[in-house]
Amino acid sequence: MPELPEVETTRRGISPHLTGRRVVRVDVREPRLRWPVPTELPRVLAGQAIEAVARRGKYLLLRTRGGTLILHLGMSGSLQVVPAAAGPGPHDHVDVVLEGGQALRLTDPRRFGCLLWTPGDPLRHPLLAGLGPEPFDTAFTGAYLYGQTRGRRAPVKALLMDSHVVAGVGNIYANESLFLAGIHPGRPAGRIGLARYGRLAGAVRAVLEKAIRAGGTTLRDFVGVDGQPGYFAQHLRVYEREGKPCEVCGHSLHRRVIGQRASYFCPRCQR
DNA sequence: CAACGGACCTGCCTGC
DNA sequence: TGCAGGCAGGTCCGTT
C-alpha cells in the first residue's frame, strides 16, 4: 500500500493528534509483525510525551525525550486515531493509547509492517542509516542519479525503487515517474545520460508532490487517518492500465514484470 | 560487488 | 459452489 505520499498523508493526519500528547499505555495484541514488536515497548513508551512526528522515506518517527518509535506500514498497514474504547478489529495489532481518550491504532492485515524502538538517534538505526536522499532534498538531482548508476546493468526502475538509492519511491510512483520522464522502465540504468536523469529527478518530485496533494493513492485499502481514501488513483497514467490507450500518443499500454515487479509503460513514449 | 530469488503474511479475484 | 492459483502498494537476506 503505502509509498512516500501515503506515509506523508498519514504523518500529516496523525501529527496534530499526537504532538505534545503523552502516551498512557501501549496495547500490543499481535507482536508478530515483520520483526517482533519489542517486549519492552509498552514499558519504555508509557509516560513519554510525543514531541514530533517525522518521516524518513517510508518510515514514520514518533520522537519522545526517551527515544523514538520507528514505524513502517509495509504493504497493507494503516494508522488511524480512534477512541481508545473502540473495540479493535481483527487486524488492529497495536494501540498507542494517548492521554485524552484517543489511541493511535495500527491496522495491518499482511503484517509486513514493523514497530521498533530506539533510544538513540533514529537516523543511525540500521534500517534508516543506509537510506538514500529524500526525493525533495536538494541532494536528489539528475547528477546524483547519474553518478549512482554508472556501470549498473539493472533496469532503471529497479534502481529507482531501491531505497538505498532514493528513499520512498515504490512501484506505483516509479512507473508513473518513468512515464512522465519518457524513460523505458527496463532500460539498463547505466545506459541513461545526465540530461535524462535530470528529467527523471524532476518527474519523481512532480509525481510525488501531486500525489501528496491528492492525499495519496487508494487502490484497494489505503485510508488516511480519518478513514478517507486518497484521490491520486484517478491521476494514474500507466499503473494498472494495461491495454488502455496512452494518454499522450494513444498506443496501447504494456505490462511486463521487471525486477520482479509489475511494470506498466507506453512502448512508444518510453525509450 | 551486483543481481536475483525467496521469504515473510492475508485477502481478493479469476478460472476451472 | 468450491478450490487452486495468481496477484497485491515493501524490503531484508541469502545465494550466485
Side-chain angles (χ1 to χ4, degrees):
Chain A
M1 167 194 52
E3 302 185 34
L4 189 152
E6 292 72 39
V7 178
E8 178 62 19
T9 295
T10 300
R11 190 194 70 77
R12 293 178 186 186
I14 65 175
S15 184
H17 298 277
L18 268 56
T19 307
R21 283 270 157 76
R22 202 166 287 280
V23 175
V24 175
R25 65 168 200 282
V26 181
D27 296 336
V28 181
R29 283 177 289 270
E30 174 56 86
R32 294 175 304 167
L33 304 186
R34 168 98 206 239
W35 293 283
V37 177
T39 46
E40 75 270 21
L41 185 69
R43 179 171 55 76
V44 294
L45 197 50
Q48 297 280 341
I50 297 167
E51 295 176 338
V53 182
R55 180 187 58 74
R56 176 76 175 97
K58 297 172 191 166
Y59 290 91
L60 284 169
L61 307 173
L62 275 54
R63 296 175 184 275
T64 78
R65 229 180 149 160
T68 301
L69 182 69
I70 299 174
L71 222 150
H72 196 289
L73 298 175
M75 290 273 264
S76 58
S78 60
L79 290 169
Q80 290 196 253
V81 175
V82 299
H91 302 297
D92 295 342
H93 306 313
V94 179
D95 280 1
V96 177
V97 181
L98 306 161
E99 63 185 351
Q102 289 187 308
L104 179 70
R105 178 163 287 176
L106 172 69
T107 308
D108 186 4
R110 291 176 72 180
R111 291 194 273 123
F112 283 180
C114 71
L115 211 135
L116 300 167
W117 175 259
T118 179
D121 177 1
L123 300 182
R124 296 222 184 109
H125 188 280
L127 288 174
L128 304 191
L131 290 179
E134 290 288 320
F136 296 113
D137 193 290
T138 52
F140 181 67
T141 62
Y144 167 78
L145 282 175
Y146 182 78
Q148 284 288 304
T149 50
R150 290 313 85 190
R152 305 287 295 269
R153 280 171 306 166
V156 59
K157 177 158 173 279
L159 271 282
L160 200 53
M161 291 177 64
D162 182 346
S163 64
H164 302 280
V165 174
V166 54
V169 181
N171 202 26
I172 295 177
Y173 301 110
N175 279 298
E176 296 298 313
S177 302
L178 287 164
F179 173 77
L180 197 59
I183 298 171
H184 193 291
R187 174 168 286 273
R191 292 193 42 234
I192 296 172
L194 183 56
R196 303 191 79 201
Y197 271 124
R199 244 175 288 145
L200 181 56
V204 168
R205 275 193 293 268
V207 167
L208 294 179
E209 198 180 335
K210 201 171 163 192
I212 291 170
R213 267 189 272 125
T217 301
T218 297
L219 294 175
R220 288 162 263 278
D221 53 12
F222 172 74
V223 289
V225 170
D226 34 18
Q228 294 296 306
Y231 295 100
F232 192 70
Q234 58 203 75
H235 300 287
L236 295 175
R237 322 262 307 259
V238 290
Y239 190 78
E240 289 191 338
R241 298 194 69 242
E242 180 186 19
K244 299 200 168 135
C246 169
E247 286 171 19
V248 172
C249 76
H251 195 286
S252 175
L253 296 174
H254 285 196
R255 175 191 191 275
R256 208 168 92 195
V257 175
I258 296 170
Q260 277 111 274
R261 306 299 296 274
S263 304
Y264 302 86
F265 58 96
C266 172
R268 191 182 289 170
C269 295
Q270 295 174 255
R271 301 289 169 155

